Amino acid sequence: MVVGSSYLPAELLQFLIDEMVEETTTLRALREETAKLPNAEWQIPPEQGQFLRFLVQLIDARLILEIGTFTGYGSLCMAQAMGKGGRVVTLEGNPEFASLSKKYWSQAGMEGRIEQRLGMALDSLENLVNEERSGTFDLVFIDADKKEYDEYYEYALQLVKDSGLIAVDNMLWKGAVANPEDQRNSTKAIRALMRKIRADKRVSGCLVPIGDGLIIARKL
């Protein structure tokens, strides 16, 4: 069973995964273990992992920032797609999730390619700025606390290089963004960021309806 949001009929989604998704044994095992957790829906689905791998290869990303590791499926997808010498810096606030992710990164032989920083994401992002990492990342993937999406986005713009990509997950929020009666803070934050990116002259962007909706913005 695939955990995650999708706007395709179940049979068609499964066909897509069976026919088009290349998932290593380790990735599949991580996805299946994560599916047993109470908050399993936080994990990106396999077809989105495939799309992230494609983006990494398309732009030949050598340095990637991930805001929100969870159990490390996305990190592993991107790390495996990178060329020799590539590196993923991923931010996570939950030590239990970090322990699980490291287990599978090690099994895949990718632990040397992934640097995990524990702590509050905004603190870690400020640390990266202070370390003079601004303008150095090829790709930033945002998938963490929705209420802080605007702040993550602004840090991402600072840290990504010119012509680099910012990918923002859960932008359809299981359809809630289109429901005017949904006034949760998380939903309002996603709507606000969607409109901001559309009007932002610093980027060009589009929304890809894969998984729970992924906005891709290219820094101009």
Side-chain angles (χ1 to χ4, degrees), residues 149-155 157 171 189-203 215:
Y149 258 25
D150 185 79
E151 292 168 281
Y152 297 153
Y153 173 70
E154 288 297 331
Y155 270 112
L157 272 173
M171 294 305 292
I190 291 170
R191 285 195 197 107
L193 182 58
M194 184 182 297
R195 291 162 181 159
K196 178 175 183 173
I197 292 174
R198 181 185 64 191
D200 196 342
K201 302 303 182 184
R202 298 172 294 177
V203 300
I215 279 186

Side-chain angles (χ1 to χ4, degrees), residues 44-55:
I44 64 170
E47 71 275 15
Q48 187 172 331
Q50 176 93 348
F51 184 71
L52 287 176
R53 288 197 294 275
F54 176 73
L55 280 183

Side-chain angles (χ1 to χ4, degrees), residues 74-91:
S75 310
L76 187 52
C77 285
M78 293 186 289
Q80 289 180 329
M82 300 178 84
K84 189 174 181 180
R87 192 164 186 81
V88 177
V89 178
T90 183
L91 314 180

Side-chain angles (χ1 to χ4, degrees), residues 31-90:
R31 179 165 60 84
E32 291 175 347
E33 183 166 349
T34 303
K36 301 172 185 175
L37 299 177
N39 35 19
E41 72 276 4
W42 292 356
Q43 181 176 266
I44 64 170
E47 71 275 15
Q48 187 172 331
Q50 176 93 348
F51 184 71
L52 287 176
R53 288 197 294 275
F54 176 73
L55 280 183
V56 169
Q57 293 169 341
L58 185 67
I59 66 172
D60 191 23
R62 298 293 178 173
L63 185 61
I64 295 171
L65 174 62
E66 179 184 51
I67 304 173
T69 315
F70 190 36
T71 59
Y73 186 90
S75 310
L76 187 52
C77 285
M78 293 186 289
Q80 289 180 329
M82 300 178 84
K84 189 174 181 180
R87 192 164 186 81
V88 177
V89 178
T90 183

Side-chain angles (χ1 to χ4, degrees), residues 69-202:
T69 315
F70 190 36
T71 59
Y73 186 90
S75 310
L76 187 52
C77 285
M78 293 186 289
Q80 289 180 329
M82 300 178 84
K84 189 174 181 180
R87 192 164 186 81
V88 177
V89 178
T90 183
L91 314 180
E92 177 54 52
N94 188 316
E96 293 182 13
F97 297 153
S99 177
L100 181 59
S101 61
K102 288 180 179 179
K103 168 186 167 184
Y104 283 94
W105 296 341
S106 178
Q107 286 183 17
M110 289 288 120
E111 70 274 27
R113 193 174 286 185
I114 304 174
E115 174 192 344
Q116 185 167 64
R117 299 192 177 199
L118 283 174
M120 299 299 293
L122 292 175
D123 292 338
S124 296
L125 289 165
E126 185 62 26
N127 289 338
L128 286 169
V129 171
N130 292 336
E131 293 166 19
E132 300 184 352
R133 306 291 290 275
S134 295
T136 63
F137 290 90
D138 301 293
L139 170 65
V140 180
F141 177 46
I142 302 173
D143 186 14
D145 186 351
K146 311 312 170 195
K147 295 186 295 297
E148 295 179 344
Y149 258 25
D150 185 79
E151 292 168 281
Y152 297 153
Y153 173 70
E154 288 297 331
Y155 270 112
L157 272 173
Q158 186 171 352
L159 291 163
V160 76
K161 61 175 57 174
D162 291 344
S163 298
L165 298 182
I166 301 170
V168 191
D169 197 20
N170 301 117
M171 294 305 292
L172 293 178
W173 206 219
K174 297 183 179 179
V177 289
N179 179 4
E181 296 182 1
D182 191 325
Q183 294 298 316
R184 290 175 294 170
N185 289 335
S186 55
T187 308
K188 290 192 289 185
I190 291 170
R191 285 195 197 107
L193 182 58
M194 184 182 297
R195 291 162 181 159
K196 178 175 183 173
I197 292 174
R198 181 185 64 191
D200 196 342
K201 302 303 182 184
R202 298 172 294 177

